[in-house]
Amino acid sequence: MIIEIITAGIILLLLFYSYFLSGILRGLKTLIEESSGVKDTSLPGDYISIIIPFRNESQNILETLSSLEKQDYSKDKFEVIFVNDFSDDDSLELLCKAEKSLNIKIISLPEDYSKYQHKKRAIRFGIENAMGSIIVTTDADCIHNTKWLRTLMGQFDDETGFVSGPVEFIEESTLFNRMQKLEFAGLVLTGAGLIGIKGPIICNAANIAYRKKVFDEVSGFTYKHSLSSGDDELLMQKIRKETNYKIKFCMNKEAVVRTSSNRNLNQFYQQRKRWASKGLFYSNHYLILKLIMIFLFYLSFPLQLVLGIFYNPLFLISMLLCFSIKAMMEYIILKTGANNLFNKSILKPFIPAEVLHIPYILIAGISGALGDYIWKERKIKR
């Protein structure tokens, strides 16, 4: 009887995950169709504030500054606010000494300003000092195309409150980097597809924009003060839930922001723990149930392996069937994204990445839910 229940559960989880992936693919196709149509190329008349929190980014911050200085956008229409989050390297000194335009500003967090919110407090302090009615956030280790801001702003109309943009890892020669690049592209495309079917769940703060009045309308980052992250997807979900503004994804290569991948396995592990830690704080219980179902689907793989070895070899066949369906559908999603947003070369390490994807999801999910993590040389309490 127990085996029959397990078998039925595996079938149910496979059907759910297949339906979830088909929704992502449907959303991506919707975004691609919308982006290929004739559109009004006019830009919003709003003044824009780009906010960049930074901590110990001496190796990257000048390159980020340079890419923002080169934006194909009138400098009297936007400002850039770098917010120093108690850097203890020479990031602040390098930034202050660098030649920069008058629209580039540098501020530092006060010592007693919302101590335990970390990145969220830096962004909130930047917003409090911003003149723009549209807030754009990115990171101090990012490189932006010259048409990045123009392309991102082209998504705004009077009904739009939040825009998510694409992010990718800079390609390097190592297999570890290429696998990260592929996995990260999968996360970005998942977020895009879900926005395309009007069910936004994930996005990346390295490339988002929202109206300041919408931020104020939902009371900004007032939820979960103890959670250090959540300045991106939790805000997006809150805007979706509490307002009538549209959430959009910018399906355009010109809007891609590039950043470096993790240098070692520990950095990768800590980053994914941090990202996974937000899932249980979603206000929508249905979204949490979805995440649990996805996690259980991945958990079914080691369960089927054990049952196949020690009980009935048919479970090995069911495991291969689940893996084949998962791999096929995820490949189609990644190929769709590679054709329209990224480069086709990202697909090269697909097979090893697909195999490692299962233990990675299980480890990240468990550790993100239960453990503390390291971020910017800080130990963050869960």
Side-chain angles (χ1 to χ4, degrees):
M1 182 65 178
I2 295 177
I3 296 301
E4 284 79 3
I5 293 174
I6 292 174
T7 303
I10 292 170
I11 294 172
L12 177 64
L13 291 170
L14 176 60
L15 291 173
F16 169 78
Y17 193 66
S18 299
Y19 177 76
F20 176 74
L21 292 181
S22 65
I24 293 171
L25 183 59
R26 188 170 69 254
L28 285 175
K29 289 180 177 179
T30 297
L31 292 174
I32 292 167
E33 289 175 4
E34 291 175 351
S35 65
S36 62
V38 178
K39 288 192 172 184
D40 180 10
T41 57
S42 62
L43 297 171
D46 306 71
Y47 191 74
I48 303 157
S49 294
I50 303 173
I51 297 175
I52 307 174
F54 71 94
R55 174 177 167 80
N56 298 345
E57 293 288 356
S58 60
Q59 295 183 347
N60 306 300
I61 202 162
L62 293 185
E63 194 168 9
T64 299
L65 172 64
S66 176
S67 71
L68 293 172
E69 288 275 24
K70 296 173 183 176
Q71 288 303 300
D72 179 21
Y73 209 91
S74 177
K75 283 186 167 51
D76 62 355
K77 295 292 186 181
F78 76 100
E79 63 179 351
V80 179
I81 304 175
F82 285 93
V83 186
N84 176 35
D85 185 9
F86 300 100
S87 296
D88 51 24
D89 66 358
D90 60 348
S91 302
L92 180 60
E93 182 182 358
L94 288 172
L95 196 57
C96 289
K97 288 183 177 179
E99 290 188 17
K100 47 193 170 292
S101 302
L102 294 176
N103 65 330
I104 308 291
K105 303 175 182 178
I106 305 166
I107 59 177
S108 293
L109 275 168
E111 181 69 35
D112 58 349
Y113 187 88
S114 301
K115 284 188 177 181
Y116 301 107
Q117 290 191 33
H118 303 299
K119 186 181 180 182
K120 282 196 299 188
R121 68 172 178 167
I123 294 174
R124 184 157 62 87
F125 188 64
I127 292 174
E128 290 176 2
N129 287 273
M131 296 189 298
S133 56
I134 293 180
I135 302 297
V136 178
T137 70
T138 186
D139 291 336
D141 58 354
C142 290
I143 301 173
H144 311 79
N145 294 322
T146 56
K147 294 183 180 179
W148 164 67
L149 186 58
R150 174 178 293 274
T151 306
L152 198 64
M153 288 304 103
Q155 295 292 311
F156 276 93
D157 54 31
D158 293 339
E159 298 178 344
T160 302
F162 187 103
V163 175
S164 172
V167 185
E168 71 170 345
F169 283 149
I170 298 168
E171 186 164 344
E172 299 174 6
S173 59
T174 66
L175 178 61
F176 183 49
N177 164 266
R178 290 177 177 176
M179 290 176 68
Q180 285 186 78
K181 186 178 175 71
L182 177 62
E183 184 267 345
F184 190 50
L187 288 175
V188 171
L189 293 170
T190 297
L194 292 170
I195 290 174
I197 56 172
K198 304 187 186 310
I201 298 179
I202 59 174
C203 60
N204 194 294
N207 196 8
I208 59 174
Y210 43 87
R211 293 190 181 279
K212 188 176 181 181
K213 67 177 181 180
V214 178
F215 178 84
D216 293 335
E217 185 177 331
V218 300
S219 301
F221 302 138
T222 53
Y223 50 84
K224 301 297 179 185
H225 284 292
S226 60
L227 187 65
S228 64
S229 57
D231 51 288
D232 41 26
E233 58 199 51
L234 295 184
L235 176 63
M236 177 180 69
Q237 292 171 22
K238 203 175 185 197
I239 292 172
R240 168 65 175 169
K241 179 181 179 181
E242 299 181 12
T243 77
N244 294 319
Y245 283 97
K246 292 188 293 187
I247 309 291
K248 291 183 179 180
F249 184 87
C250 188
M251 182 63 76
N252 191 315
K253 287 185 177 182
E254 295 289 355
V256 174
V257 166
R258 293 179 295 139
T259 187
S260 297
S261 60
N262 297 283
R263 294 300 174 189
N264 54 59
L265 195 58
N266 183 56
Q267 284 185 0
F268 176 81
Y269 174 62
Q270 296 297 334
Q271 183 187 62
R272 294 313 192 267
K273 277 177 69 177
R274 177 166 63 90
W275 291 355
S277 70
K278 293 178 280 190
L280 293 179
F281 291 96
Y282 291 168
S283 61
N284 187 329
H285 293 167
Y286 180 57
L287 291 185
I288 296 177
L289 179 61
K290 278 185 176 181
L291 291 179
I292 292 173
M293 291 283 284
I294 292 170
F295 180 81
L296 290 176
F297 173 71
Y298 279 82
L299 188 61
S300 74
F301 284 97
L303 176 61
Q304 290 176 83
L305 179 62
V306 171
L307 289 174
I309 294 173
F310 296 104
Y311 179 76
N312 190 326
L314 287 176
F315 280 104
L316 295 178
I317 297 174
S318 70
M319 183 186 70
L320 290 175
L321 176 63
C322 289
F323 182 81
S324 298
I325 294 173
K326 170 186 180 297
M328 178 185 68
M329 295 187 70
E330 290 178 349
Y331 182 84
I332 293 171
I333 290 171
L334 288 166
K335 186 176 181 181
T336 301
N339 288 337
N340 292 276
L341 201 57
F342 303 118
N343 191 293
K344 293 181 181 179
S345 65
I346 67 169
L347 292 168
K348 290 181 179 179
F350 176 77
I351 293 177
E354 191 69 12
V355 172
L356 293 174
H357 195 218
I358 295 169
Y360 146 65
I361 289 293
L362 294 174
I363 293 170
I366 294 171
S367 60
L370 302 177
D372 303 333
Y373 56 87
I374 305 296
W375 181 72
K376 297 292 183 182
E377 295 81 44
R378 290 167 168 159
K379 185 173 183 180
I380 308 299
K381 294 290 184 181
R382 173 62 174 75

